[in-house]
Amino acid sequence: MDYLKELNPPQREAVERTEGPVMIIAGAGSGKTRVLTYRIAHLIYARGVDPFQILSLTFTNKAAAEMKHRIESLVGLDARNTWMGTFHSVFAKILRVESEKIGYPSNFTIYDTDDSKSLIRSIVKEMRLDDKVYKQGVVLSRISGAKNRLISWQAYQKDPFVKADDEAAMRPRMGEIYQKYQDRLFKSGAMDFDDLLFNTNVLFRDHADVLNKYQHRFKYVMVDEFQDTNLSQYLITKKLAAVHQNICVVGDDAQSIYAFRGADIQNILNFEKDYPDLFVVKLEQNYRSTKTIVEAANSIIDKNKAQLKKTVWTSNPDGDLIELIKATSDNEEGRIVATTIFEERNNKKLNNSDFAVLYRTNSQSRAIEEALRKMNLTYKIVGGLSFYQRKEIKDLMAYMRFTVNSVDEEAFKRIINYPKRGIGDTSVEKILVAAYDHDMPLWEVVQNAPNFLSGRAGSSVDDFATMIKAFQIEVERKDAFEAANFIAKQSGLLRELYEDKTIEGLNRYENVQELLNAIKEYVDNPENEDKSLGAFLQEIALLTDNDRDKDTTDAITLMTIHSSKGLEFKQVFVVGMEEDLFPSQMMMQSREDLEEERRLFYVATTRAMDKLYLTYALTRYRFGRLLNCEPSRFLEEVDPATIKVNKRMSATREMPGAMRQEGLPGGSGFIGLKKKPESRVPSQMKIHTPSPDFKPSNTNNLQAEQLVEHPKFGFGKVEKIEVEGLNRKATIKFEHFGEKTLLLSFAKLRIID
């Protein structure tokens, strides 16, 4: 087999070094997936390792499936026996087998974010707390952060620092909510996503026999995207690899951008401390991007202090210089992007799918969308409402979930009166209270409803219980598709949707049919050994955002930079390159925060294969106000030899492609078209170095004629002060930057005189 001949020397070294701890530092576009794939194939083919002894952890099921198919093409059907999948899917599989040891049923439900938020909303309401203070998202994020650091509700309540944080945030009862949330999950036979990892740690901590079983089962452990792991994930893999020590982690610290999800970059930076005999391989050859883009990306990430040093290079052609585009407003920025895509697509015979527009926050998509629509350019937004988050889909899924796990409180609340069967909120509340007060499983109360509810409501709940029992019989006897089809029809849900003849109603009906199609596809797939409804529900619960995106339309991709990781496009626009937007004003409290933002910029630039555009606007609507913007500090960090400065003035009444020379009416043109080594970032972007004693002054009484210092524009004189509503604006003439009008509530000025 000649697969090793397809690898460059470092890639081959990474594939052949199978024993002991190994860290593969994989630069952007360096063929990481090929290395992982060939490494597993090499273990099976050349080393004779039993595939059942190989554990490979990824961050999307799609990536795992693609790798499995590639390995299969190299070594045959044996590849299907490797344990490969996301952290959550692999450990959910283990928990299905072992969950009773920690008090959970084997058919436990996996709650998604909506389920968790709904449960938190109920708890906050029952505790009579202010839901504007205890917002569902904030509470869930706090609980999630605790679980990722393996802090149980008991430890949370005892920690004085955690308690002080909650009191400072005016949410002193957070610990109680965490306790009630976990208690309700447990009684519902449910785990949220974080519990899949938290409970695996608990399982391995409290049951040495179980840990020992899986330590000996997995002789080789591999972790992809290691820089994105949190403490919980790292400790699991470390425990599993403790016996054989054959652990291989693959990642790039320069692409660690998920701290807000609990990812800890220290896992990769300090990996060698846990494994002193670690063997390190660096994959530094980039196969994706042009030389210009690679050099620019290197110049960006080089500014970070906390990093594992590497020098990414490429033998690809130089390619085009990066285009830096200034727009007067966010709307003009959108028009420039749309016009440029239109021209590039036609001139270079490209597809819509060859283009991506990346932004720091979702709200930036509005101006881009409007401009693309006006030019009839097809686009898709990644990270919007996914198929499985639509109401009608969640309704049918809730019926299926409650049939499989009849103590699932959130599924019960969703379906008990849909379609309407005369069971009001008061009756539902009585059922739930009865279950809590009598410490009875929810299903037991539902089956004996007439004992707890009088009149028509009791009879209706009794009929509901009879229907669910019929569903349970079908689930036991039939595969996932037959059972789901039966539930969809007999629940009345299909009829309810079919009778709604509005366009929206027809779409909802078709969506449910599409869900049934997906279940049939699952059942017909020979790789799925378990055809049961419970197995299908687990598969869907564990889908990541990337797994859900199956849209094959030829469309321009709009997405946040965070969502773009792992993807590549021929031409990429990174829009909104402005201070306080990118880097975000929320991420400038510490060097660690700023370095994460810089890594995010690095990820954005390395998505581009052939052409990269960086755009910024001089004014932008944010928080309902028109703000003056400054170019991002990151633009100063890009190697100026890689940049070409374009001044594209969008002409709304001109046809795309109508370009005029600089200075003509409605003008559109270019400046700075010099040879590559001489191209420079415009002089007006040269950032002033603040005085050593610089400290922003209180500008409430700032007057005309006073001298001030701005951290970037330098020294200037106040020309005039204007008041618009609650806003005070200062027009300042700066020594090197000319006249600027700044909102005093945002501007950081040191008053000199």
Side-chain angles (χ1 to χ4, degrees):
M1 192 181 292
D2 294 332
Y3 60 90
L4 292 177
K5 292 180 180 177
E6 299 175 27
L7 305 171
N8 66 35
Q11 288 176 334
R12 181 164 181 162
E13 193 174 26
V15 166
E16 293 186 305
R17 186 80 176 208
T18 58
E19 308 304 303
V22 176
M23 179 163 67
I24 303 170
I25 302 172
S30 62
K32 175 194 68 172
T33 303
R34 170 179 284 192
V35 168
L36 272 172
T37 303
Y38 284 18
R39 196 173 197 274
I40 295 171
H42 190 70
L43 282 168
I44 298 170
Y45 178 78
R47 296 280 191 262
V49 176
D50 184 343
F52 284 103
Q53 293 184 314
I54 300 171
L55 171 64
S56 179
L57 298 165
T58 64
F59 269 77
T60 68
N61 289 301
K62 185 189 289 183
E66 287 173 1
M67 282 176 59
K68 201 171 271 192
H69 285 128
R70 283 205 214 177
I71 299 165
E72 200 174 304
S73 68
L74 292 170
V75 301
L77 296 179
D78 251 7
R80 294 183 183 179
N81 297 327
T82 56
W83 281 63
M84 186 179 293
T86 65
F87 278 90
H88 295 94
S89 65
V90 168
F91 297 124
K93 188 176 175 181
I94 289 174
L95 286 171
R96 291 281 173 210
V97 178
E98 314 289 351
S99 58
E100 291 183 4
K101 290 183 172 63
I102 55 173
Y104 282 86
S106 61
N107 63 340
F108 62 84
T109 299
I110 300 171
Y111 275 13
D112 66 12
T113 302
D114 284 351
D115 296 322
S116 294
K117 285 183 177 179
S118 175
L119 178 53
I120 288 168
R121 183 165 56 243
S122 297
I123 292 169
V124 168
K125 185 179 179 181
E126 290 161 15
M127 292 175 67
R128 297 180 180 176
L129 299 173
D130 186 345
D131 60 7
K132 292 183 178 62
V133 175
Y134 292 92
K135 295 178 180 176
Q136 308 148 39
V138 172
V139 173
L140 182 58
S141 177
R142 184 73 168 160
I143 293 172
S144 176
K147 289 181 184 179
N148 286 335
R149 297 192 304 277
L150 298 179
I151 300 172
S152 65
W153 67 260
Q154 294 94 332
Y156 189 100
Q157 291 183 356
K158 291 176 183 175
D159 191 315
F161 297 105
V162 169
K163 187 176 180 181
D165 282 346
D166 285 342
E167 287 177 351
M170 308 300 286
R171 288 186 283 267
R173 300 186 69 184
M174 190 74 82
E176 291 177 65
I177 297 174
Y178 185 5
Q179 178 180 356
K180 289 180 182 293
Y181 175 72
Q182 286 307 116
D183 183 53
R184 294 277 275 277
L185 281 172
F186 188 76
K187 286 181 176 175
S188 292
M191 298 186 198
D192 64 17
F193 252 50
D194 297 310
D195 283 327
L196 295 174
L197 302 177
F198 186 94
N199 287 334
T200 301
N201 273 293
V202 170
L203 176 69
F204 288 165
R205 181 196 68 195
D206 296 347
H207 299 274
D209 56 327
V210 176
L211 174 59
N212 185 58
K213 178 170 81 172
Y214 290 101
Q215 283 175 331
H216 285 84
R217 174 172 293 178
F218 301 129
K219 191 173 181 181
Y220 295 87
V221 177
M222 276 177 272
V223 185
D224 190 13
E225 304 287 5
F226 186 63
Q227 76 280 349
D228 294 334
T229 55
N230 58 38
L231 174 66
S232 180
Q233 290 164 326
Y234 180 43
L235 289 182
I236 292 171
T237 50
K238 188 179 174 186
K239 285 177 184 175
L240 286 174
V243 171
H244 298 289
Q245 294 282 302
N246 296 325
I247 181 170
C248 173
V249 300
V250 185
D252 181 7
D253 59 294
Q255 297 185 65
S256 177
I257 59 173
Y258 293 123
F260 68 97
R261 291 184 188 167
D264 188 350
I265 193 174
Q266 297 305 319
N267 289 350
I268 191 167
L269 294 179
N270 297 327
F271 190 64
E272 194 166 1
K273 291 181 180 177
D274 286 338
Y275 297 93
D277 55 341
L278 180 69
F279 184 79
V280 179
V281 184
K282 295 182 180 181
L283 306 183
E284 297 174 303
Q285 183 174 358
N286 179 298
Y287 292 93
R288 174 189 299 154
S289 306
T290 64
K291 195 169 291 183
T292 297
I293 293 170
V294 169
E295 288 174 0
N298 284 343
S299 68
I300 293 163
I301 204 63
D302 189 53
K303 308 297 188 297
N304 271 9
K305 289 189 175 181
Q307 63 171 301
L308 300 170
K309 282 290 184 182
K310 62 182 176 301
T311 305
V312 178
W313 61 276
T314 185
S315 59
N316 290 341
D318 285 358
D320 293 333
L321 292 174
I322 295 166
E323 290 197 26
L324 178 61
I325 301 173
K326 175 177 71 174
T328 57
S329 67
D330 49 351
N331 286 331
E332 187 189 52
E333 180 183 52
R335 289 195 293 270
I336 292 172
V337 169
T339 303
T340 307
I341 291 175
F342 184 94
E343 293 168 351
E344 288 288 296
R345 191 190 64 171
N346 292 341
N347 294 340
K348 297 183 178 176
K349 301 292 186 282
L350 298 172
N351 298 316
N352 287 326
S353 57
D354 292 325
F355 297 90
V357 183
L358 310 182
Y359 34 75
R360 181 63 180 83
T361 63
N362 277 307
S363 60
Q364 291 171 252
S365 73
R366 177 198 57 80
I368 307 295
E369 286 186 76
E370 287 178 6
L372 293 174
R373 278 199 299 268
K374 285 175 183 175
M375 300 193 68
N376 292 318
L377 291 169
T378 305
Y379 67 89
K380 64 177 180 181
I381 296 181
V382 174
L385 188 65
S386 79
F387 177 78
Y388 289 99
Q389 294 301 315
R390 291 181 169 94
K391 179 185 181 300
E392 61 276 13
I393 301 302
K394 289 183 76 73
D395 288 338
L396 180 51
M397 294 282 285
Y399 267 104
M400 295 189 285
R401 276 171 42 184
F402 193 70
T403 301
V404 171
N405 173 18
S406 297
V407 293
D408 185 338
E409 180 183 324
E410 289 306 307
F412 169 75
K413 289 192 292 189
R414 190 170 192 105
I415 64 175
I416 183 62
N417 199 38
Y418 180 75
K420 289 191 181 299
R421 49 177 67 91
I423 305 169
D425 292 345
T426 303
S427 298
V428 174
E429 192 68 27
K430 285 181 180 178
I431 291 171
L432 295 174
V433 168
Y436 304 145
D437 289 351
H438 295 85
D439 198 21
M440 293 169 63
L442 174 62
W443 180 233
E444 194 171 332
V445 177
V446 171
Q447 289 183 94
N448 297 284
N451 295 338
F452 302 95
L453 293 174
S454 58
R456 182 184 166 194
S459 176
S460 295
V461 175
D462 198 43
D463 291 343
F464 171 80
T466 302
M467 179 180 69
I468 296 296
K469 288 174 187 174
F471 293 170
Q472 290 170 337
I473 292 169
E474 292 296 305
V475 167
E476 287 294 320
R477 291 168 34 193
K478 300 191 173 166
D479 66 33
F481 173 71
E482 292 170 324
N485 208 23
F486 183 84
I487 292 170
K489 289 176 180 175
Q490 298 304 316
S491 65
L493 191 146
L494 263 184
R495 189 186 319 111
E496 175 96 356
L497 295 174
Y498 182 75
E499 289 173 354
D500 182 353
K501 299 301 183 185
T502 64
I503 293 174
E504 293 80 6
L506 291 171
N507 284 338
R508 286 193 285 268
Y509 179 79
E510 288 172 2
N511 284 339
V512 169
Q513 292 295 342
E514 183 57 32
L515 174 60
L516 295 173
N517 292 340
I519 300 175
K520 186 70 169 74
E521 187 180 329
Y522 173 84
V523 169
D524 290 344
N525 187 342
E527 291 186 19
N528 296 323
E529 295 177 13
D530 189 344
K531 313 286 187 185
S532 69
L533 188 60
F536 172 78
L537 290 173
Q538 173 169 311
E539 175 108 345
I540 296 306
L542 293 167
L543 288 181
T544 65
D545 290 341
N546 286 336
D547 298 321
R548 290 179 172 129
D549 181 22
K550 294 184 179 179
D551 186 1
T552 56
T553 307
D554 179 34
I556 299 157
T557 301
L558 274 59
M559 65 201 317
T560 64
I561 303 169
H562 282 101
S563 301
S564 74
K565 190 159 169 291
L567 303 177
E568 61 185 29
F569 304 89
K570 287 185 178 178
Q571 298 204 12
V572 170
F573 294 78
V574 185
V575 299
M577 294 296 306
E578 297 136 34
E579 279 294 292
D580 293 336
L581 184 57
F582 192 25
S584 166
Q585 61 183 351
M586 306 293 289
M587 294 292 285
M588 289 192 280
Q589 305 305 310
S590 66
R591 178 179 297 281
E592 290 76 18
D593 286 348
L594 187 59
E595 292 202 348
E596 171 136 342
E597 287 289 282
R598 190 176 286 115
R599 292 194 295 270
L600 192 58
F601 185 32
Y602 176 82
V603 167
T605 59
T606 54
R607 297 314 93 201
M609 300 166 69
D610 301 333
K611 191 72 182 282
L612 176 64
Y613 302 83
L614 305 174
T615 74
Y616 67 99
L618 298 178
T619 60
R620 184 179 299 275
Y621 275 97
R622 295 188 72 197
F623 316 114
R625 291 191 290 185
L626 182 64
L627 302 179
N628 291 306
C629 306
E630 303 169 24
S632 169
R633 69 185 70 189
F634 290 156
L635 293 174
E636 274 289 293
E637 297 178 354
V638 183
D639 180 355
T642 64
I643 289 182
K644 172 175 71 177
V645 182
N646 276 0
K647 186 181 180 186
R648 291 177 175 240
M649 303 297 292
S650 57
T652 56
R653 293 178 181 171
E654 294 182 11
M655 290 295 290
M659 294 304 215
R660 300 185 181 180
Q661 292 297 317
E662 180 75 37
L664 294 182
S668 167
F670 303 95
I671 60 174
L673 297 180
K674 301 176 182 177
K675 290 182 181 179
K676 180 175 172 179
E678 298 173 9
S679 299
R680 289 290 182 268
V681 175
S683 61
Q684 66 264 32
M685 285 175 52
K686 294 298 180 184
I687 305 302
H688 163 77
T689 302
S691 304
D693 61 342
F694 183 89
K695 185 179 180 182
S697 305
N698 184 330
T699 56
N700 289 341
N701 298 313
L702 185 66
Q703 302 294 326
E705 301 298 318
Q706 285 189 286
L707 298 179
V708 294
E709 181 186 8
H710 186 275
K712 293 184 180 61
F713 298 143
F715 298 99
K717 183 178 180 182
V718 180
E719 299 286 306
K720 61 179 177 179
I721 301 288
E722 296 175 280
V723 179
E724 286 184 9
L726 298 175
N727 296 321
R728 294 179 77 238
K729 296 192 298 185
T731 300
I732 304 170
K733 190 169 184 177
F734 290 98
E735 191 175 352
H736 298 295
F737 286 78
E739 198 168 88
K740 301 280 183 185
T741 300
L742 306 176
L743 275 175
L744 291 178
S745 57
F746 284 87
K748 296 173 181 174
L749 298 172
R750 179 173 76 96
I751 299 173
I752 298 171
D753 181 15

